[in-house]
Amino acid sequence: QTSVDMSMVADDASFGQTMLDLVANGTLSEERLDESVARVLQLKKDLGLFTDPFADPQLATTVGSQQDVNAARDAVRESVTLLKNENNVLPLKVNDKVLFIGPTLDSTRLMGGGWNVHWQGPSNEDGDAVYQGFGDTILRGVRQVTGKAPKYMQGVDIDGEALIDIDNVVRAASKADKVVVGLGEHTYAENGGNIGQLLLPEKHIELVSAIANQTNTPVVVVLVQGRPRGLGTIAQNAAAILNAYLPGAYGGLPIAELLYGRVSPSGRLPTTYPATEAQASATIWQSSYGEYAPQWAFGYGLGYSNITYSNVTLSHSDLQMGAPVTVSVTVTNHGPHVQKEVVQLYTHQQYRMGYAPELFRLRGFTKVNLNVGASETVSFVLTAEEMAFWDRKLRRRIEPAPVTVAINPFIQKDISAVVQLRGDPGYVLEEADY
């Protein structure tokens, strides 16, 4: 049995019929069915749907309010993740001669993904007209930031079925100071997003390869995607890579601000970015006894400023139940940009008798805003209880061992200290009822 009260399926009545069949044959009690029905009815009553089933028409006037647009754009400014920035090719300068290429740069709908206007997102036929004037694009954002119309060529279609005018694209790229290529995937939801391979479409990869190999112009790739698609040779050929995820209909201006340094990137990867399809199962956890060489690790991300960490200190050398340890570190911004910096605390238990501990486990994080030249001391509280693990007998307990406490280990190495985890390995904090 389950605590789920309803099945949200648009065009399939089998769930309701199955419930009736289960009650009729005695598998499901009528009382259990009544319990779920009662909760659904109570929710409708609480929402006032039995009094007035229609929303207040005046609420329509709040759609696209400036307050909501600002909030949406702020979310993008703080989430977009800079994955690579070779030779500081980013940020772009307003007087740079930049060629913009790629389908995701000139589209509102592709920034929204599925469950955006429609179940599978707006279709090719819908285009951006379905937004009725709401939203923006990355190209419109560039115009707003630079004050001039960007030079744009499509280069490839979103599904990667064909390169478009590639000879002229390469010729134009060779005359530019820098090239920004916007790649990604069409809108999708659920089964509509199933793919046979993780790699981006072949023509997307070919487009970047053609520019990188036939010109001397640095290539910046902006990824608009709902999942970490495989990059193939893009990871090597691009001088800079910005992962914009699905920034939503108002993502264009903040992405342009990030490209031009109005804002320094501060987003961090919420999942591991695999280098190969075999790594797709590695998301936020990895055993310390397996090879871990992804394209970019969970929690990875860069900014435009030079940030350093120093003075990692522990309030006590032992960590035991009921006696937390405070971990402190000094963060300094050496410039040249104001930087919002995500400080992440990880632990690595050096051994665990009979079990493989995590390579690194995120225990805490915070974001600090640092002006150029500023330093700030950031502190985290680490408890022995959160170091407990579930053993094979479904008992949650602590295994004493040295524990490496590390700050942003996948970005800066050797910013760490060691605390001794102590406790009785036979003591059970919690036991599963099974």
Side-chain angles (χ1 to χ4, degrees):
Q1 300 221 1
T2 176
S3 60
V4 175
D5 291 327
M6 62 179 289
S7 172
M8 189 185 72
V9 179
D11 54 6
D12 186 350
S14 63
F15 181 82
Q17 185 57 53
T18 300
M19 289 301 99
L20 293 175
D21 293 343
L22 290 172
V23 171
N25 65 28
T27 303
L28 182 72
S29 70
E30 191 169 339
E31 289 75 20
R32 176 64 187 86
L33 184 61
D34 289 345
E35 183 183 327
S36 284
V37 170
R39 283 198 289 260
V40 173
L41 292 175
Q42 185 64 52
L43 177 60
K44 290 183 176 182
K45 181 182 178 183
D46 293 343
L47 292 172
L49 296 180
F50 294 138
T51 304
D52 184 359
F54 303 104
D56 181 356
Q58 288 302 310
L59 291 175
T61 63
T62 68
V63 174
S65 69
Q66 195 57 50
Q67 168 184 297
D68 292 348
V69 171
N70 291 343
R73 285 174 169 161
D74 283 343
V76 178
R77 292 179 182 110
E78 297 207 29
S79 61
V80 168
T81 306
L82 180 63
L83 299 174
K84 183 179 180 181
N85 195 22
E86 200 172 78
N87 299 322
N88 294 319
V89 66
L90 289 177
L92 304 173
K93 298 177 178 63
V94 171
N95 58 356
D96 280 341
K97 189 163 62 173
V98 183
L99 175 63
F100 294 88
I101 305 170
T104 59
L105 300 182
D106 192 29
S107 172
T108 303
R109 70 184 185 91
L110 294 177
M111 294 193 295
W115 291 110
N116 155 38
V117 180
H118 305 305
W119 173 38
Q120 295 291 332
S123 66
N124 292 336
E125 290 72 26
D126 290 329
D128 288 350
V130 73
Y131 294 99
Q132 301 177 48
F134 292 103
D136 60 16
T137 67
I138 296 172
L139 289 182
R140 288 208 292 270
V142 169
R143 179 192 289 266
Q144 193 167 336
V145 168
T146 64
K148 35 187 192 182
K151 182 174 182 179
Y152 172 71
M153 304 177 77
Q154 185 175 343
V156 69
D157 64 296
I158 189 60
D159 292 318
E161 294 179 352
L163 293 172
I164 300 170
D165 200 17
I166 187 61
D167 291 339
N168 283 331
V169 167
V170 170
R171 193 174 298 112
S174 68
K175 298 176 182 178
D177 296 324
K178 295 172 183 176
V179 171
V180 175
V181 181
L183 303 176
E185 45 189 1
H186 63 75
T187 63
Y188 61 85
E190 302 173 22
N191 290 342
N194 288 353
I195 50 178
Q197 61 175 358
L198 198 60
L199 274 177
L200 280 169
E202 182 180 350
K203 297 300 181 184
H204 286 203
I205 297 172
E206 283 184 20
L207 173 63
V208 175
S209 179
I211 298 167
N213 294 327
Q214 297 179 46
T215 77
N216 294 316
T217 308
V219 179
V220 176
V221 171
V222 178
L223 298 169
V224 178
Q225 56 183 0
R227 52 196 165 187
R229 296 295 297 268
L231 299 179
T233 56
I234 290 175
Q236 292 77 45
N237 285 332
I241 299 175
L242 202 65
N243 190 15
Y245 309 97
L246 292 178
Y250 282 96
L253 176 60
I255 290 173
E257 291 173 341
L258 288 156
L259 286 170
Y260 279 90
R262 295 275 187 93
V263 180
S264 182
S266 62
R268 299 294 181 262
L269 283 177
T271 185
T272 295
Y273 204 115
T276 66
E277 294 189 350
Q279 296 173 346
S281 60
T283 53
I284 63 172
W285 184 92
Q286 184 69 23
S287 164
S288 59
Y289 297 129
E291 181 185 355
Y292 185 63
Q295 196 74 65
W296 295 285
F298 168 81
Y300 184 81
L302 306 171
Y304 295 147
S305 225
N306 177 18
I307 303 294
T308 60
Y309 292 81
S310 59
N311 303 325
V312 179
T313 60
L314 305 174
S315 62
H316 201 282
S317 59
D318 289 344
L319 179 62
Q320 49 194 327
M321 290 178 58
V325 168
T326 298
V327 183
S328 299
V329 63
T330 300
V331 190
T332 303
N333 180 8
H334 299 281
H337 297 269
V338 174
Q339 182 71 47
K340 288 187 175 180
E341 176 71 3
V342 180
V343 185
Q344 304 170 67
L345 174 71
Y346 290 79
T347 62
H348 164 60
Q349 187 165 340
Q350 295 182 13
Y351 57 83
R352 188 178 289 158
M353 298 299 291
Y355 297 85
E358 306 92 343
L359 176 63
F360 279 106
R361 179 73 173 268
L362 182 66
R363 299 297 181 183
F365 65 92
T366 189
K367 182 176 276 192
V368 294
N369 193 25
L370 295 171
N371 291 321
V372 176
S375 294
E376 185 168 330
T377 298
V378 177
S379 296
F380 300 95
V381 175
L382 181 66
T383 68
E385 287 82 354
E386 62 189 304
M387 298 297 299
F389 70 101
W390 290 95
D391 68 13
R392 296 181 187 90
K393 296 181 179 179
L394 296 186
R395 300 173 304 178
R396 190 166 170 264
R397 58 187 183 85
I398 291 171
E399 184 75 38
V403 174
T404 301
V405 178
I407 305 295
N408 295 14
F410 301 115
I411 301 174
Q412 295 192 25
K413 306 296 184 185
D414 303 323
I415 311 298
S416 62
V418 177
V419 64
Q420 180 65 43
L421 177 63
R422 300 193 183 279
D424 178 4
Y427 179 76
V428 177
L429 284 77
E430 188 178 355
E431 191 164 1
D433 183 16
Y434 64 98

